[in-house]
Amino acid sequence: MVSASLNPLARALPPTVRCATSITLAEAARRCRAPSGRPVHPATLARWIFRGIKLANGNRLRLGAFRRSGQWFTSPELLECFLAAKTFARNWTEG
């Protein structure tokens, strides 16, 4: 992990996220399920990182991730927070 003193963005993250277990996008994709029950494609997670999803108020919700040795990683905690926020935003606009 990059030292927090070298990376100003790392200091902005809560300690629980900085110390979180890192997983590849392929593993994170296997942990997510599409409505059909199949795992989502890792490219879907890459879209969630770069473009995010557009919320009803026009804001974008993006999956937190970091790049190490040329590969993108996220954490189970970041993935869970993203999916919970996505679900909450959808239910909030529908109800």
Side-chain angles (χ1 to χ4, degrees):
M1 176 149 193
V2 176
S3 170
S5 63
L6 298 176
N7 186 351
L9 296 176
R11 284 183 296 208
L13 294 173
T16 55
V17 174
R18 280 185 284 187
C19 300
T21 306
S22 58
I23 57 175
T24 63
L25 295 187
E27 179 161 347
R30 286 191 294 271
R31 292 179 182 217
C32 294
R33 296 283 172 183
S36 65
R38 296 179 58 191
V40 298
H41 197 276
T44 302
L45 276 82
R47 275 194 306 275
W48 290 346
I49 292 168
F50 301 124
R51 286 189 257 169
I53 58 168
K54 192 170 184 180
L55 302 177
N57 64 3
N59 291 337
R60 292 209 168 258
L61 175 66
R62 288 186 172 86
L63 173 62
F66 53 95
R67 194 167 172 91
R68 185 184 329 146
S69 302
Q71 187 173 9
W72 283 99
F73 291 86
T74 189
S75 72
E77 296 85 0
L78 290 171
L79 183 62
E80 185 177 334
C81 287
F82 174 81
L83 294 174
K86 180 179 170 191
T87 302
F88 176 79
R90 181 177 179 184
N91 291 340
W92 181 261
T93 58
E94 289 178 357

